Amino acid sequence: MDLSIIIVNYNVKDFLHHLLQSINAAVRDISAEVIIVDNASTDGSVEMLRREFPGITLIASPENLGFSRANNAGIKKSKGRYILLLNPDTLIGEETFVTMIKFLDEHKEVGLAGCKLLNPDGTLQLACRRGFPGPWVSFCKVTGLSSIFPKSRLFAKYNLTYLDENQSHEVDAISGAFMMIRKEVVDEIGGLDEQFFMYGEDLDWCYRVQKAGHKVYYVHNTKIIHYKGESTKRSNIDETRVFYNAMRLFVRKHFSSYFVVELILRFAISIREVVAFASKWKLIFFSVLLDGFLFNIALYFSARIYETHAHWRGFLPEAKVIVYSVPAIVQVLSGILAGAYNKERLQVLRSVLSIAVSFFVLSSVIYFSKDFAYSRAVLLMTYTGALVLFLGWRIVAKLIFKIGNSFSGASPRKAFIVGTDDVARKIARQLKAKQTQYYSVIGFISKGNDEIGDTVDDLKVVGSLSNIAKMVKEHAADEIIFTVGSLP
């Protein structure tokens, strides 16, 4: 047998279904087997596989084994002279397997190879060819030098962006989304290291392949689409933490004999983890800091106004630290309890609720505190000002700068559906039935010209594959939705 294709699935039934359709077209000229290890999916993946793809080898695990253990279970069942580890959220070109097998047949020195990986928008996915994270490489990545000088051999070694993506190259590492390896190399070095639950195992495998004297290659003349991260979206795993823990494990495993090197790499990983964490939660950090600052602005000006018109002497000097810290903290905590802070969108109504909760708490405290009883009027003015400021900056951010908008609040994206079969019609009906107006479907694109002008389910067939670029420009389309079952 030429090829054993091993896919580890976790709750990405629809992606897996499309992938298997593309695999069926890609294995017509080779002998291949498909082994799917399902990591206790709850989305009906196993039932779909048994019903629609009875020819595959299915290993249905009752627990989530992680990426390494699940792939190793598939490797043990494999019979091919080449083994391919393939992510379920990918789409394969019809010539991909033939091209990769031909490359490995002609280059006996290559033990492990990956192809060109594309993002859904057609851009190169940088992880498909990488350098090992040594001290200098990590320093350039952490400091951003690799991004500032992407064409520099000195600074851009992590993602190898100085290499021509349209040329094949020997590289340090390739992506775990597509890894084709010789069976004899696996017999020599073993499967994936099961210490890595998810992430890092591909880097480790590449390192071990080269340690055994084989080359790792990026092959440019065939490509796949990788949607990336679809399984982690459907799990409760903190992928950021798991990723950086995997990087620490890689460093400990391969660089522990060099104390200074290990120390530098660990420090670089920690810095990068902090940056990644801050980036992930930046909307919350920004909202909390701005709310605290604006609350104190409202408090300060309320006190000044009250001083001017009520002949009040202001807060006592020894009380100012408490006055300008405790109420702001109470307001932020009320916001957290009210759900006013979200990492993806700005909450307007919940911020109003947080102000009401905070006002109730502080006014109650002041009522029972003689030391601060004089400032009830200031408190009332403060919360009136805070309400205006909190609502104001959120509305401006959402409407003008498009920060923290949910999909339902964004302008609908104009889309074509390519295909006119039952699947295309079903997609059109589903999009039209959605309560959210995220998509506005322009019409269908047919395979040939004979259907142009027809009406299908109240939508027109406006063009064909031969003039799709013209249709995109003419209708100012934002997205094209393909139905892979009826298309090459």
Side-chain angles (χ1 to χ4, degrees):
M1 183 175 291
D2 292 314
L3 183 64
S4 295
I5 305 163
I6 299 169
I7 304 166
V8 174
N9 176 65
Y10 180 73
N11 286 333
V12 285
K13 178 181 70 174
D14 291 332
F15 285 92
L16 180 61
H17 188 278
H18 292 157
L19 169 61
L20 291 173
Q21 287 179 318
S22 69
I23 286 175
N24 285 342
V27 296
R28 288 172 183 161
D29 298 324
I30 60 171
S31 57
E33 62 176 350
V34 178
I35 302 169
I36 298 180
V37 185
D38 185 84
N39 267 339
S41 294
T42 56
D43 66 343
S45 291
V46 170
E47 294 77 9
M48 179 273 292
L49 291 169
R50 286 173 174 160
R51 182 177 63 252
E52 299 189 37
F53 299 96
I56 66 165
T57 300
L58 174 62
I59 303 172
S61 172
E63 61 175 321
N64 189 343
L65 302 173
F67 191 76
S68 297
R69 284 177 64 195
N71 269 304
N72 286 345
I75 289 172
K76 289 175 184 175
K77 292 268 188 181
S78 64
K79 305 181 185 71
R81 60 193 182 96
Y82 294 114
I83 296 170
L84 173 67
L85 305 190
L86 183 64
N87 275 19
D89 53 353
T90 55
L91 283 176
I92 303 297
E94 292 176 356
E95 81 302 332
T96 295
F97 297 150
V98 172
T99 301
M100 292 299 297
I101 289 172
K102 181 182 178 184
F103 177 87
L104 287 168
D105 283 345
E106 293 174 353
H107 299 83
K108 303 296 184 183
E109 74 281 7
V110 178
L112 175 64
C115 67
K116 181 186 286 188
L117 267 60
L118 300 180
N119 293 305
D121 64 358
T123 56
L124 181 71
Q125 203 162 96
L126 296 180
C128 67
R129 42 173 210 176
R130 291 175 287 171
F132 287 129
W136 175 249
V137 174
S138 299
F139 173 79
C140 293
K141 180 69 174 175
V142 169
T143 58
L145 287 170
S146 58
S147 299
I148 297 170
F149 304 104
K151 298 302 180 182
S152 168
R153 287 181 174 270
L154 180 62
F155 298 120
K157 288 186 176 180
Y158 185 80
N159 286 125
L160 305 177
T161 46
Y162 59 85
L163 295 178
D164 184 354
E165 67 178 75
N166 296 314
Q167 294 293 326
S168 298
H169 299 279
E170 181 181 0
V171 295
D172 285 343
I174 55 176
S175 170
F178 186 105
M179 304 180 85
M180 190 176 287
I181 191 169
R182 297 180 189 276
K183 179 68 163 62
E184 59 265 29
V185 174
V186 178
D187 293 338
E188 180 183 354
I189 69 168
L192 299 176
D193 188 339
E194 295 183 4
Q195 293 181 86
F196 297 91
F197 180 82
M198 184 176 68
Y199 302 125
E201 71 292 313
D202 50 356
L203 201 62
D204 175 75
W205 221 25
C206 292
Y207 194 89
R208 287 158 52 204
V209 166
Q210 289 171 79
K211 281 284 187 181
H214 308 282
K215 291 183 178 181
V216 175
Y217 250 79
Y218 159 77
V219 181
H220 80 282
N221 55 334
T222 186
K223 52 186 176 280
I224 70 170
I225 297 171
H226 181 210
Y227 292 93
K228 198 174 184 180
E230 291 299 328
S231 290
T232 56
K233 291 177 186 176
R234 293 156 174 80
S235 74
N236 59 2
I237 294 170
D238 184 344
E239 64 269 22
T240 302
R241 182 170 296 176
V242 171
F243 174 79
Y244 287 102
N245 284 342
M247 292 300 98
R248 290 187 183 92
L249 174 58
F250 178 82
V251 169
R252 186 170 68 247
K253 180 177 177 181
H254 296 293
F255 296 97
S256 59
S257 56
Y258 307 98
F259 175 75
V260 175
V261 173
E262 183 185 10
L263 192 66
I264 293 171
L265 290 176
R266 282 180 172 274
F267 177 73
I269 290 169
S270 297
I271 294 295
R272 190 70 184 172
E273 184 175 16
V274 169
V275 171
F277 180 82
S279 177
K280 186 177 179 181
W281 299 88
K282 61 187 175 186
L283 190 58
I284 289 180
F285 291 147
F286 175 77
S287 301
V288 167
L289 290 174
L290 188 56
D291 280 355
F293 173 73
L294 291 177
F295 184 88
N296 277 333
I297 288 290
L299 177 57
Y300 174 78
F301 282 104
S302 298
R304 293 299 299 270
I305 292 169
Y306 195 63
E307 283 180 49
T308 304
H309 294 88
H311 305 292
W312 172 54
R313 294 183 177 181
F315 296 116
L316 297 173
E318 59 269 22
K320 285 187 177 179
V321 173
I322 296 173
V323 167
Y324 286 104
S325 61
V326 174
I329 292 171
V330 170
Q331 173 56 48
V332 168
L333 291 175
S334 299
I336 293 170
L337 291 173
Y341 302 116
N342 187 291
K343 66 181 180 180
E344 294 176 352
R345 58 182 63 91
L346 293 174
Q347 304 283 2
V348 176
L349 295 178
R350 289 183 181 272
S351 68
V352 176
L353 177 61
S354 73
I355 288 174
V357 171
S358 176
F359 177 75
F360 174 78
V361 171
L362 280 177
S363 58
S364 300
V365 170
I366 287 175
Y367 182 80
F368 292 107
S369 173
K370 292 181 180 179
D371 292 336
F372 294 97
Y374 54 78
S375 56
R376 276 179 235 154
V378 175
L379 188 70
L380 187 60
M381 287 191 291
T382 297
Y383 274 96
T384 302
L387 179 62
V388 172
L389 291 172
F390 282 25
L391 291 179
W393 84 257
R394 283 173 167 82
I395 291 170
V396 168
K398 287 169 74 71
L399 296 182
I400 298 177
F401 297 103
K402 307 298 182 185
I403 298 172
N405 265 330
S406 63
F407 286 152
S408 59
S411 300
R413 298 178 65 78
K414 294 193 287 185
F416 287 120
I417 298 175
V418 179
T420 55
D421 59 357
D422 290 340
V423 177
R425 296 178 188 190
K426 180 182 177 183
I427 290 171
R429 288 194 298 270
Q430 287 176 329
L431 290 177
K432 287 166 68 178
K434 292 285 185 186
Q435 294 300 314
T436 175
Q437 297 300 309
Y438 185 52
Y439 281 109
S440 171
V441 181
I442 300 166
F444 294 104
I445 298 288
S446 62
K447 290 170 70 175
N449 294 325
D450 55 326
E451 293 181 84
I452 295 176
D454 292 352
T455 300
V456 179
D457 286 356
D458 298 324
L459 286 171
K460 275 195 171 183
V461 180
V462 295
S464 67
L465 288 175
S466 62
N467 68 350
I468 191 168
K470 178 185 175 184
M471 291 296 101
V472 168
K473 291 178 182 177
E474 208 169 275
H475 294 271
D478 299 300
E479 290 194 15
I480 305 171
I481 302 169
F482 288 90
T483 56
V484 298
S486 62
L487 299 169

